[in-house]
Amino acid sequence: MKYVMEIKDSSKVFFISDPHFNHGNIIKFCARPWETKEEMTEAMINNWNSVVGPDDIVFCLGDFMWASSWNTTLERLNGHIHLIWGNHDRKDFKESYLKHLESVQEQLTLIIDNKIVYLNHLQLKHISNSYRRTNICQSNQDTKKQNRCMLHLV
C-alpha cells in the first residue's frame, strides 16, 4: 500500500468526494434532484462516464458507495479509481470489490506537477507546520451543506 504517489500528467486526474452511490437517504440529506436511489445512481454513472475516460485517474475521498451494490456500480465506471476510506465505505465492503479499485487507503499524499496534495476523508481540525505549502483535499463532513471536495493552499 503506497502512502505517497507521484503523478506525471495532471490533465487526466480527477477528485471526487462523497458521491454516495446507491444511498437513498443522501437524496434528502443533501437535497439531490432525484426521486430514487436508482435514478440518482444511474444519472451519476452517466455523468461520471461523460467526463472521466477509461485511462483517467480518479481519487474518491470517501463515502463512495452504500451497501452491497459495489461490484455492479464499479464495473460501469470509467477510470482507474483510488479510494480513500470514508466512514460509510467500510459497511458491507468485501474483498471482491478490490478488483475494481486501484487502491484503498486511509490517506494518501500525491505529488502532482511538483505540488504536494494530501488526501483524506476526515477534516483536519488542526494543520501542523508539516503541512505548510501543501494542498489539502478533504471531504466536507457537514451534511447540511452540499458535500464537495475542497482544495485549498495552506
Side-chain angles (χ1 to χ4, degrees):
M1 191 176 307
K2 286 183 168 183
Y3 293 103
V4 177
M5 182 184 298
E6 187 165 2
I7 296 179
K8 304 287 186 197
D9 182 5
S10 64
S11 70
K12 297 201 172 274
V13 177
F14 296 89
F15 297 89
I16 189 170
S17 174
D18 299 85
H20 289 268
F21 285 98
N22 298 299
H23 184 186
N25 285 335
I26 205 71
I27 294 169
K28 70 176 178 185
F29 294 158
C30 295
R32 292 188 176 182
W34 297 285
E35 295 294 322
T36 67
K37 67 180 182 177
E38 293 81 13
E39 179 186 342
M40 175 185 72
T41 297
E42 193 61 32
M44 289 169 54
I45 290 170
N46 290 334
N47 291 344
W48 176 297
N49 289 338
S50 73
V51 174
V52 177
D55 296 324
D56 293 341
I57 300 170
V58 179
F59 293 95
C60 179
L61 277 65
D63 291 354
F64 191 66
M65 193 85 54
W66 190 255
S68 60
S69 58
W70 283 80
N71 278 331
T72 56
T73 303
L74 279 169
E75 66 192 13
R76 295 180 59 203
L77 294 173
N78 286 341
H80 301 279
I81 303 168
H82 298 265
L83 174 64
I84 305 300
W85 280 120
N87 50 305
H88 290 176
D89 296 320
R90 295 180 192 274
K91 180 179 176 55
D92 298 323
F93 189 87
K94 298 189 177 29
E95 193 171 320
S96 66
Y97 307 156
L98 293 172
K99 68 183 174 188
H100 300 291
L101 298 167
E102 296 294 316
S103 69
V104 178
Q105 303 178 67
E106 294 285 339
Q107 59 189 345
L108 181 63
T109 300
L110 303 176
I111 301 171
I112 304 175
D113 297 334
N114 294 319
K115 293 181 179 80
I116 298 170
V117 180
Y118 174 73
L119 307 178
N120 195 319
H121 178 69
L122 302 175
Q123 289 186 353
L124 301 174
K125 300 297 182 190
H126 172 74
I127 299 175
S128 70
N129 285 337
S130 64
Y131 286 101
R132 296 287 181 229
R133 291 189 298 274
T134 299
N135 295 291
I136 309 292
C137 193
Q138 60 197 15
S139 173
N140 180 352
Q141 294 296 299
D142 185 352
T143 58
K144 292 179 181 160
K145 296 179 182 174
Q146 184 176 358
N147 291 316
R148 61 190 168 275
C149 178
M150 300 174 293
L151 184 62
H152 51 98
L153 186 61
V154 178

